[in-house]
Amino acid sequence: MKYIIFEDFSGAPIPVIFPGRINHADMREQMPYTRVLSAGYVQTRDKEFVCHGGSKGLNAQARPEDAEIIARRFENPDA
């Protein structure tokens, strides 16, 4: 799976996870948020999220904190 973490209108990180067949740039065009914080690939290993890689088209990379941001969103999707 691929992901992009955007900064929402209040400054909070908002992860979006989507299938690998969709380009990062195509997904980015569909979102209303102006700032991309990071992008890459996400998978689960031993019941934890692992983020890696990046998107040349978005000039963004996976960051160490991305897995935690994604995990928190799954724990509390309405936050």
Side-chain angles (χ1 to χ4, degrees), residues 16-35:
V16 176
I17 298 172
F18 52 98
R21 68 180 177 271
I22 299 172
N23 292 324
H24 282 102
D26 291 339
M27 180 58 70
R28 198 276 165 265
E29 289 179 11
Q30 301 302 312
M31 303 306 292
Y33 306 117
T34 58
R35 185 167 178 221

Side-chain angles (χ1 to χ4, degrees), residues 4-9 12-16 31 33 37 69 73 79:
I4 302 172
I5 297 182
F6 295 95
E7 181 178 79
D8 76 2
F9 303 117
I14 299 294
V16 176
M31 303 306 292
Y33 306 117
L37 299 176
I69 292 169
R73 183 58 56 161

Side-chain angles (χ1 to χ4, degrees), residues 24-57:
H24 282 102
D26 291 339
M27 180 58 70
R28 198 276 165 265
E29 289 179 11
Q30 301 302 312
M31 303 306 292
Y33 306 117
T34 58
R35 185 167 178 221
V36 172
L37 299 176
S38 59
Y41 298 84
V42 61
Q43 57 191 158
T44 56
R45 290 187 193 151
D46 298 324
K47 299 181 182 180
E48 292 186 6
F49 291 106
V50 177
C51 298
H52 58 90
S55 169
K56 289 182 183 180

